[in-house]
Amino acid sequence: MNQLTPTLLADGFVFLEGPRWHDGSLWVSDMWGFKVYRISTNGAREVLFELPERPSGLGFLPDGTPLVVSMANRKILKLVNGALVEHADLSAHVSGDCNDMVVDAQGRAYVGNFGFDLFNGAPPQMANLVRVDPDGSTHVVAQELNFPNGAVLTNGGRTLVVAETFGNVLTAFDLAADGTLSNRRVWAALGERTPDGICLDQDGAIWVASFMTGEFLRVLEGGTVSDIVPVPGKAAVACQLGGEDGRTLFCLTYEGTIEDLHQGKVAGAIETVRVNSPAAGSP
């Protein structure tokens, strides 16, 4: 197994999520700082917009329109002429805060949710995965997922893989031309590891942020781990491949507790490491 050591790119955030490489910059959501940033390759930051309901997953429609998950009110918003407007309301289909998403080439967004009130100590429950079509209509496409979180599209967009954080597994589905999912199966069982944000490389491997164990892992289908980036003393929240050649892995870390989130403690950072296989463009 290849062990890699990251270096700090930028800090001073509260809790970062949803990293996306887009038009030469890294976009990230500061979930508990209530802002979405654009980060340059030298670590300079620009606030793109504020979102009091807590931003999480990010994505882009085929015409480049940005989408953002608005967690607390369980909506997808889109940025139009500098203003956030509602794209879809998922509240009829979800039982907890919405979190991450992936957007396909047709502009369909696949969105996870907690399934329960995590931040107030509610008992765990299974959750749905919801598809949001370009017209804003919503459809449950999978049920009984254990905290569906980060997701990628692989196999030419014909397979969707979603991280079930508390199921300790990456779960795959066949993705049909009409956006429906079928043939649910285990893509990789991860043992004690808790997959949060994930991203795909050009060799078909998935980089996984294992939140509770504080490490970023390059996982092959079947579960073999080829590379590991330990971040001791920190949570590994999410990751994204990008940079000029697609070989920079941006690792979002958090050095705090759940209680610290409500206080707005500054504990989030972006660390980077160079890898061999470049980005495959998902999420």
Side-chain angles (χ1 to χ4, degrees):
M1 186 186 305
N2 187 30
Q3 182 164 314
L4 305 170
T5 301
T7 58
L8 180 67
L9 176 68
D11 58 9
F13 306 98
V14 181
F15 185 93
L16 295 176
E17 256 287 10
R20 303 290 184 263
W21 182 258
H22 180 69
D23 284 348
S25 300
L26 185 73
W27 291 45
V28 292
S29 293
D30 192 341
M31 181 189 297
W32 288 91
F34 313 111
K35 297 179 178 69
V36 170
Y37 290 91
R38 182 161 50 202
I39 311 293
S40 71
T41 53
N42 65 5
R45 71 200 68 186
E46 171 193 2
V47 176
L48 294 171
F49 53 86
E50 299 190 10
L51 182 54
E53 291 79 20
R54 287 186 275 116
S56 184
L58 297 166
F60 301 88
L61 294 174
D63 66 1
T65 298
L67 299 179
V68 59
V69 171
S70 182
M71 296 185 70
N73 57 2
R74 304 175 185 182
K75 294 182 177 182
I76 307 297
L77 307 179
K78 57 185 176 182
L79 187 64
V80 179
N81 297 322
L84 290 173
V85 298
E86 183 175 316
H87 180 58
D89 186 343
L90 284 69
S91 57
H93 300 308
V94 302
S95 49
D97 288 356
C98 295
N99 51 11
D100 214 340
M101 70 174 170
V102 66
V103 181
D104 70 12
Q106 290 72 42
R108 299 176 296 214
Y110 295 81
V111 189
N113 75 96
F114 289 3
F116 61 100
D117 190 353
L118 173 72
F119 296 119
N120 288 306
Q125 296 183 44
M126 295 297 189
N128 296 331
L129 189 70
V130 179
R131 187 186 79 231
V132 177
D133 288 343
D135 63 1
S137 60
T138 57
H139 314 268
V140 174
V141 287
Q143 298 174 297
E144 294 295 310
L145 293 166
N146 199 344
F147 209 91
N149 210 332
V152 298
L153 297 165
T154 185
N155 189 28
R158 297 184 295 273
T159 302
L160 182 143
V161 180
V162 61
E164 293 190 66
T165 300
F166 297 144
N168 310 100
V169 68
L170 300 180
T171 298
F173 297 88
D174 292 341
L175 174 56
D178 64 359
T180 57
L181 302 181
S182 63
N183 189 25
R184 179 176 177 171
R185 59 199 181 275
V186 172
W187 195 90
L190 299 174
E192 67 176 2
R193 287 159 168 152
T194 49
D196 194 330
I198 63 176
C199 66
L200 182 72
D201 72 22
Q202 286 187 12
D203 291 322
I206 295 177
W207 278 98
V208 176
S210 176
F211 189 92
M212 299 297 290
T213 61
E215 53 193 347
F216 297 88
L217 314 159
R218 183 176 182 267
V219 181
L220 310 181
E221 185 172 6
T224 298
V225 175
S226 66
D227 300 78
I228 184 169
V229 184
V231 286
K234 305 171 187 175
V237 184
C239 51
Q240 175 68 74
L241 287 162
E244 288 186 8
D245 61 0
R247 289 183 167 88
T248 297
L249 183 71
F250 296 91
C251 302
L252 308 189
T253 61
Y254 178 66
E255 196 170 8
T257 66
I258 287 181
E259 291 73 23
D260 291 333
L261 294 175
H262 297 279
Q263 307 302 319
K265 177 184 175 181
V266 172
I270 306 169
E271 304 181 41
T272 63
V273 66
R274 297 287 293 165
V275 299
N276 290 323
S277 184
S282 188

